[in-house]
């Protein structure tokens, strides 16, 4: 049964005990409302290090005005129960004052740079600055040897990897494949906000990704996915693009067998959903 820790002092005390014993630590940063996708992150994390911390914090800095910060599901007790049969050692669940003792307005913000202003960042200005700010802070607080992130948030993962590389953080980032339900829908805490009708409409997302993966080129893949999503009832398309996974720049018509990532964002019943798929052309 993981220990629930709310304060920085307690977290750092535990961290110090582990360090003295020469134990390695993995961190799984989350915003809670845990589901099987998070479980996959936890399973990977606990296999990568001696100790595992799951952080649960709905980070106000990554939500813009009018976004779903207030509506974002919060369920600490259910999350504790969900992790009860895992090898997680600590659930770190700070409040805003613990996370940002200087106050939200005074917290120095990291910049996610140019890639941070594209795709998710175009529709959610400042979102990735907020993500990197909290992730860096969690790295400082937990001091992990490994941090585990899901591939579903591909742009987030790219930017975190870039930050770790640029700033020479002494830790490894591990990526875990997206977990899908039996109909192919990527698991997301936001799925809980979908009505039955919206859930059915959301199945067009995995269908678009799958159909795109059978196309001969990045351009065809993008067009096919766009066609499916734009004609799907109830689905509002934000973006459908193919990017180079190494740069997150549009393109993907690279050499034969080189991977390209199809990324999509849509709104269904007022809920924003993102997904992506790694594609290989010309094989
Ligand atoms: O992916 C998420 O749940 C969040 O963006 C993260 C990484 C926990 C930062 O708040």
């Amino acid at each position: 049964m993981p220990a629930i820790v709310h304060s920085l002092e307690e977290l750092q005390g535990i961290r110090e005990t582990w360090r003295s014993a020469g134990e390695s630590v993995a961190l799984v940063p989350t915003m809670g409302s845990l589901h099987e996708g998070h479980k996959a992150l936890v399973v990977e994390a606990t296999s990568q290090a001696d100790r595992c911390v799951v952080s649960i914090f709905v980070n106000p800095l990554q939500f813009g005005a009018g976004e779903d910060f207030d509506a974002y599901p919060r369920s600490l007790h259910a999350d504790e129960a969900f992790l009860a049969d895992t090898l997680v050692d600590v659930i770190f669940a700070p409040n805003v004052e613990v996370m940002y003792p200087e106050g939200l307005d005074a917290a120095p913000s990291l910049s996610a740079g140019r890639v941070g202003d594209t795709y998710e960042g175009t529709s959610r200005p400042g979102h990735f600055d907020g993500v990197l700010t909290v992730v860096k802070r969690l790295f400082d607080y937990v001091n992990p040897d490994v941090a585990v992130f899901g591939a579903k948030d591909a742009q987030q993962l790219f930017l975190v990897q870039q930050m770790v590389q640029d700033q020479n953080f002494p830790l490894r980032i591990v990526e875990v494949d997206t977990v899908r339900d039996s109909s192919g829908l990527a698991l997301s805490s936001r799925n809980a906000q979908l009505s039955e009708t919206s859930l059915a409409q959301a199945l067009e997302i995995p269908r678009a990704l799958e159909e795109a993966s059978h196309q001969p080129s990045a351009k065809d893949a993008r067009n096919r996915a766009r066609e499916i999503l734009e004609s799907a009832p109830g689905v509002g398309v934000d973006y459908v693009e193919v990017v180079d996974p190494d740069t997150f720049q549009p393109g993907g018509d690279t050499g034969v067998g080189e991977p390209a990532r199809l990324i999509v964002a849509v709104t269904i019943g007022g809920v924003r959903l993102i997904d992506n798929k790694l594609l290989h052309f010309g094989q």
Side-chain angles (χ1 to χ4, degrees):
M1 189 80 177
I4 310 288
V5 170
H6 296 287
S7 79
L8 195 51
E9 292 69 29
E10 196 183 346
L11 175 75
Q12 288 179 336
I14 294 172
R15 181 68 183 91
E16 206 37 55
T17 313
W18 292 342
R19 186 198 306 281
S20 311
E23 292 173 319
S24 59
V25 177
L27 168 68
V28 181
T30 81
M31 297 204 299
S33 267
L34 303 179
H35 50 66
E36 289 301 322
H38 294 109
K39 191 74 86 59
L41 304 183
V42 160
V43 167
E44 184 61 35
T46 52
S47 77
Q48 293 265 347
D50 302 314
R51 299 289 187 170
C52 177
V53 176
V54 172
S55 63
I56 296 183
F57 178 65
V58 184
N59 173 33
L61 291 186
Q62 68 187 77
F63 290 80
E67 289 190 12
D68 60 348
F69 175 69
D70 291 330
Y72 198 88
R74 289 160 174 86
S75 52
L76 187 56
H77 290 309
D79 291 342
E80 283 178 53
F82 187 75
L83 293 176
D85 65 347
T86 66
L87 298 174
V88 171
D89 296 279
V90 164
I91 297 174
F92 177 49
N95 63 18
V96 174
E97 288 71 33
V98 169
M99 210 57 214
Y100 299 113
E102 66 275 68
L104 276 181
D105 292 338
S109 174
L110 291 189
S111 165
R114 269 187 316 172
V115 173
D117 290 334
T118 59
Y119 307 119
E120 283 305 286
T122 305
S123 300
R124 307 184 65 190
H127 168 68
F128 287 120
D129 297 348
V131 169
L132 293 191
T133 300
V134 79
V135 167
K136 155 91 169 59
R137 213 160 262 224
L138 286 166
F139 289 171
D140 289 344
Y141 289 174
V142 177
N143 196 3
D145 301 281
V146 183
V148 181
F149 290 83
K152 186 176 83 66
D153 295 300
Q155 194 175 0
Q156 166 173 285
L157 178 58
F158 174 87
L159 289 166
V160 168
Q161 268 163 337
Q162 186 174 267
M163 174 178 78
V164 165
Q165 217 170 327
D166 289 353
Q167 301 200 18
N168 242 328
F169 285 128
L171 61 93
R172 280 183 303 120
I173 300 295
V174 171
E175 169 179 348
V176 171
D177 285 347
T178 303
V179 178
R180 299 178 181 281
D181 69 14
S182 55
S183 51
L185 185 65
L187 298 192
S188 161
S189 304
R190 288 199 168 95
N191 292 357
Q193 301 175 47
L194 295 170
S195 66
E196 223 168 282
T197 309
S198 299
L199 259 177
Q201 291 166 334
L203 299 188
E204 290 301 297
I205 304 170
R207 187 168 90 79
L209 297 181
E210 181 56 29
E211 289 245 350
S213 72
H214 300 298
Q215 302 302 313
S217 70
K219 186 163 166 253
D220 292 316
R222 182 178 47 241
N223 290 347
R224 184 69 188 120
R226 212 173 259 169
E227 188 179 40
I228 290 173
L229 292 171
E230 282 177 352
S231 59
V235 176
V237 176
D238 182 356
Y239 59 79
V240 176
E241 195 48 85
V242 178
V243 296
D244 178 339
D246 293 333
T247 60
F248 232 85
Q249 297 301 310
D253 276 313
T254 45
V256 170
E258 290 294 317
R261 197 173 285 282
L262 173 64
I263 55 171
V264 308
V266 300
T267 301
I268 301 178
V271 180
R272 184 177 179 81
L273 297 174
I274 60 172
D275 202 348
N276 71 86
K277 189 175 174 75
L278 206 58
L279 308 177
H280 296 85
F281 302 109
Q283 286 186 314

